[in-house]
């Protein structure tokens, strides 16, 4: 996952709204959100079929959401390297920070949100740092939590998300959900625009890298709302994930 936008409003009926945009090699196989993991039967998320983990996991009973982004720093030694896809699963299930020896993981940012707030842990290959988000609208990219507008994506999208009506976990305010869907889908910017949130790029080796899916999650006192877009170029592909079953509707 390459960009996470999170709106934090402590004490509100819906204290956390999160948008996650996943960028990946586009032929990397994955499955849409479902309860894929017997070890974590309550969790729902998309599954990466090469590594078996996920980039974003939701615990409906928490309610809690955890999202993982690639970070910057020194990569793990090849002989001990492990997939980072288990990190959001454990964080969504337990709500705590990444623990144990992290030297087997490439650099990452792990964001965990629940009704009590939003925390971010960043690993650069040597040390972990932690941040707690204050009220407001925040954006996390591969370089970390961007507190200023030096990144063109942040400069363009943060004020737009901040000024948009916040969706509710109850899901009754469909206009607000539609507004956030449109923003998270790129707000009409071309994929080559330096401000683009939804991207596509041909690599020198012939592969194509770009945005493979988009997620919206709202956390409230009851069950969260979880919307998913499996085809970022097709606004009609958005659907609501039925958390009670963890499976996509037929």
């Amino acid at each position: 996952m390459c960009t996470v936008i999170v709106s934090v409003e402590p004490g509100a009926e819906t204290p956390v709204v999160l948008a996650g945009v996943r960028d990946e090699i586009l032929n990397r196989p994955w499955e849409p959100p479902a309860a894929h993991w017997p070890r974590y039967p309550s969790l729902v998320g998309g599954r990466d079929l090469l590594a078996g983990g996920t980039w974003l996991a939701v615990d409906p009973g928490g309610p809690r959401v955890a999202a993982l982004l690639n970070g910057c720093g020194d990569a793990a030694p090849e002989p001990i390297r492990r997939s980072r896809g288990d990190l959001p699963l454990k964080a969504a299930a337990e709500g705590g920070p990444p623990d144990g020896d992290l030297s087997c993981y490439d650099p990452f940012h792990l964001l965990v949100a629940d009704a009590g707030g939003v925390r971010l842990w960043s690993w650069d290959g040597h040390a972990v740092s932690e941040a707690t988000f204050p009220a407001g609208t925040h954006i996390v990219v591969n370089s970390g939590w961007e507190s200023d507008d030096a990144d063109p994506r942040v400069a363009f999208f943060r004020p737009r998300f901040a000024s948009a009506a916040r969706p509710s976990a109850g899901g009754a305010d469909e206009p607000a959900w539609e507004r956030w869907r449109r923003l998270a889908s790129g707000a009409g910017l071309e994929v080559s625009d330096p401000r683009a949130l939804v991207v596509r790029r041909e690599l020198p080796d012939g592969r194509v890298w770009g945005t493979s899916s988009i997620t919206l999650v709202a956390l409230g006192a009851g069950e969260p709302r979880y919307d998913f877009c499996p085809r970022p170029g097709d606004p009609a592909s958005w659907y609501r994930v039925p958390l009670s079953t963890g499976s996509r509707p037929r």
Side-chain angles (χ1 to χ4, degrees):
M1 179 166 289
C2 283
T3 310
V4 171
I5 302 99
V6 60
S7 172
V8 184
E9 191 173 318
E13 182 179 349
T14 301
V16 176
V17 183
L18 179 147
V21 180
R22 186 192 188 209
D23 299 333
E24 184 55 88
I25 299 298
L26 292 182
N27 65 356
R28 185 179 177 99
W30 57 277
E31 292 181 326
H36 292 292
W37 302 276
R39 183 179 176 186
Y40 300 103
S42 67
L43 300 186
V44 178
R47 178 169 62 172
D48 183 290
L49 291 178
L50 290 185
T54 190
W55 54 96
L56 184 147
V58 174
D59 177 9
R64 186 181 300 116
V65 58
L68 183 85
L69 298 86
N70 295 341
C72 300
D74 294 328
E78 188 63 38
I80 64 169
R81 181 177 294 154
R82 289 179 53 189
S83 167
R84 293 164 291 188
D86 62 328
L87 293 169
L89 294 171
K90 192 170 189 295
E94 300 177 4
D99 57 7
D101 182 7
L102 300 179
S103 63
C104 59
Y105 297 112
D106 285 347
F108 64 80
H109 306 289
L110 179 65
L111 182 147
V112 180
D114 56 28
V118 180
R119 290 176 292 172
L120 180 73
W121 291 277
S122 298
W123 164 252
D124 64 2
H126 301 280
V128 178
S129 60
E130 179 178 354
T132 299
F133 289 3
T137 301
H138 311 280
I139 297 183
V140 184
V141 295
N142 294 136
S143 58
W145 175 19
E146 290 292 341
S147 57
D148 58 39
D149 289 345
D151 186 302
R153 284 171 298 175
V154 177
F156 183 82
F157 279 99
R158 179 157 50 199
R160 285 163 172 80
F161 276 102
S163 63
R166 300 173 78 251
S168 73
D173 52 346
E174 285 302 323
W177 278 95
E178 286 301 319
R179 174 64 173 160
W180 272 64
R181 283 177 169 183
R182 183 178 181 279
L183 286 171
S185 296
L189 294 179
E190 294 293 330
V191 295
S192 59
D193 193 305
R195 303 168 298 172
L197 190 60
V198 173
V199 297
R200 181 182 176 89
R201 186 178 307 153
E202 292 188 9
L203 303 179
D205 61 7
R207 295 181 299 167
V208 179
W209 171 88
T211 302
S212 60
S213 66
I214 310 168
T215 301
L216 288 178
V217 178
L219 302 180
E223 185 175 87
R225 175 161 169 175
Y226 183 174
D227 284 20
F228 188 72
C229 178
R231 297 187 297 277
D234 177 9
S237 69
W238 278 98
Y239 67 93
R240 184 170 179 175
V241 178
L243 294 175
S244 57
T245 62
S247 61
R248 181 172 179 172
R250 297 181 182 275

